[in-house]
């Protein structure tokens, strides 16, 4: 990469075909952290869902660690990443209060990461409003609350999150529950019972939900009773949910 010499680059930056990057030090030399950009897209490939070797996964992790965005980033899209865990700059590195340097980030998208199993220990993203998780077949956990050992209270990783979109994440559970700030929730081809069971989604925490969209979700009839408690809904869209034969009153 020759991005290291482009010191005045700003605005929108997309880096594609990262699967062909052989030397991780090239990612480090790009010095992305020093760029004056507000939109970042890091794209490994559109076809990275096949099985990856351990060396491929570790290679991607090192590369993503080096591709740390600048602190003023507003939108970040990571697509096709094959690493086993999130990079260091997205997770807290000590037991202190997990404050983030990305104080302007409002939109975060993670797509097509087949080997990512957990999103826990995240730094706090105080202005994040939209989170999209797409095509991650092995993602089991999104932990939205974390804490430091030197403070008694817990911290929401996304205290202002208003839109959550989950697509093709059949194993995903949001822990301990959906944030009370959520206003729009869209679920497609994921596990309804895991995501919207009474234990994972207390109705009082979803009382502010205005927009619920469900597509390709299967659940028992008792599972659909949650809809009855969402009295703040202004828009309800249900598509291709073949197990649903009637709605609660």
């Amino acid at each position: 990469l020759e991005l290291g010499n482009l010191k005045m680059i700003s605005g929108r930056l997309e880096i594609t075909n990262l699967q062909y990057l052989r030397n991780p030090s090239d990612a480090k030399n790009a010095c992305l952290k020093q760029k004056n950009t507000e939109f970042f897209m890091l794209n490994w490939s559109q076809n990275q869902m096949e099985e990856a070797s351990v060396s491929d996964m570790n290679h991607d992790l090192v590369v993503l660690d080096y591709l740390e965005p600048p602190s003023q980033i507003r939108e970040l899209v990571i697509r096709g990443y094959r690493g086993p865990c999130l990079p260091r700059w997205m997770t807290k590195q000590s037991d202190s209060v997990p404050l983030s340097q990305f104080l302007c980030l409002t939109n975060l998208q993670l797509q097509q990461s087949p080997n990512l199993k957990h999103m826990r220990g995240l730094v706090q993203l105080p202005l994040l409003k939209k989170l999209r998780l797409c095509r991650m077949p092995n993602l089991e956990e999104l932990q939205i609350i974390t804490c430091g050992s030197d403070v008694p209270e817990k911290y929401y990783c996304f205290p202002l999150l208003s839109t959550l979109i989950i697509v093709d994440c059949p194993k995903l559970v949001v822990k301990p529950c959906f944030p009370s700030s959520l206003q729009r929730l869209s679920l497609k081809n994921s596990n309804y019972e895991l995501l919207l069971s009474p234990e994972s989604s207390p109705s009082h925490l979803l009382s502010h939900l205005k927009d619920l969209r469900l597509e390709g979700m299967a659940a028992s009839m008792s599972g659909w009773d949650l809809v009855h408690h969402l009295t703040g809904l202004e828009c309800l869209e249900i598509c291709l949910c073949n197990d649903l034969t009637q709605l609660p009153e």
Side-chain angles (χ1 to χ4, degrees):
L1 292 176
E2 298 179 355
L3 287 171
N5 297 323
L6 302 177
K7 301 184 183 303
M8 301 302 293
I9 192 170
S10 61
R12 181 185 182 100
L13 178 60
E14 299 183 17
I15 304 177
T16 61
N17 294 320
L18 282 166
Q19 71 274 16
Y20 298 125
L21 185 64
R22 299 303 179 192
N23 190 347
S25 64
D26 290 338
K28 183 178 182 179
N29 294 334
C31 302
L32 297 188
K33 189 177 180 179
Q34 301 176 14
K35 309 304 180 191
N36 187 28
T37 53
E38 295 185 349
F39 177 94
F40 255 45
M41 175 181 285
L42 303 175
N43 193 344
W44 270 256
S45 173
Q46 295 290 339
N47 301 305
Q48 290 293 296
M49 298 304 289
E50 65 271 8
E51 186 174 352
S53 66
V54 174
S55 61
D56 287 337
M57 291 189 288
N58 291 334
H59 180 273
D60 281 11
L61 175 57
V62 174
V63 169
L64 188 55
D65 269 337
Y66 284 151
L67 294 176
E68 181 178 346
S71 58
Q72 74 275 5
I73 194 77
R74 293 183 180 273
E75 297 185 52
L76 175 63
V77 179
I78 301 175
R79 179 180 295 161
Y81 168 65
R82 297 171 298 177
C85 58
L86 294 174
R88 288 174 294 180
W89 43 268
M90 290 185 68
T91 57
K92 63 174 185 173
Q93 299 302 310
S94 67
D95 288 333
S96 60
V97 179
L99 294 177
S100 170
Q101 60 175 330
F102 305 112
L103 302 180
C104 300
L105 186 65
T106 60
N107 187 347
L108 174 62
Q109 299 186 43
L110 300 178
Q111 306 174 13
Q112 302 175 24
S113 294
N115 303 305
L116 191 63
K117 292 186 177 182
H118 304 283
M119 294 180 63
R120 61 164 73 113
L122 299 171
V123 293
Q124 191 177 43
L125 301 172
L127 291 186
L128 190 72
K129 295 182 179 179
K130 182 177 181 179
L131 176 62
R132 178 184 173 90
L133 306 175
C134 180
R135 294 188 65 191
M136 292 193 279
N138 292 306
L139 183 62
E140 299 176 358
E141 177 185 9
L142 169 62
Q143 188 180 79
I144 66 165
I145 291 180
T146 188
C147 63
S149 62
D150 56 347
V151 289
E153 66 270 21
K154 296 179 179 180
Y155 284 80
Y156 277 94
C157 301
F158 328 116
L160 295 184
L161 187 68
S162 59
T163 299
L164 177 60
I165 301 172
I166 298 174
V167 179
D168 293 326
C169 298
K171 299 180 181 180
L172 180 61
V173 177
V174 178
K175 295 183 177 180
C177 55
F178 288 105
S180 58
S181 59
L182 205 61
Q183 295 187 9
R184 179 175 181 240
L185 177 61
S186 179
L187 306 176
K188 179 179 179 180
N189 298 334
S190 300
N191 194 310
Y192 183 99
E193 302 287 359
L194 289 177
L195 288 168
L196 290 176
S197 67
E199 293 79 14
S200 63
S201 345
S203 57
H204 70 280
L205 291 177
L206 289 175
S207 60
H208 299 292
L209 198 66
K210 296 181 179 180
D211 189 328
L212 176 61
R213 300 174 187 269
L214 304 172
E215 180 175 347
M217 306 291 287
S220 62
M221 286 311 301
S222 60
W224 291 99
D225 287 342
L226 175 70
V227 179
H228 175 73
H229 300 285
L230 305 181
T231 55
L233 279 183
E234 298 175 0
C235 177
L236 173 62
E237 181 177 329
I238 300 176
C239 179
L240 300 176
C241 296
N242 297 329
D243 291 343
L244 179 64
T245 57
Q246 64 183 34
L247 282 173
E249 293 183 4

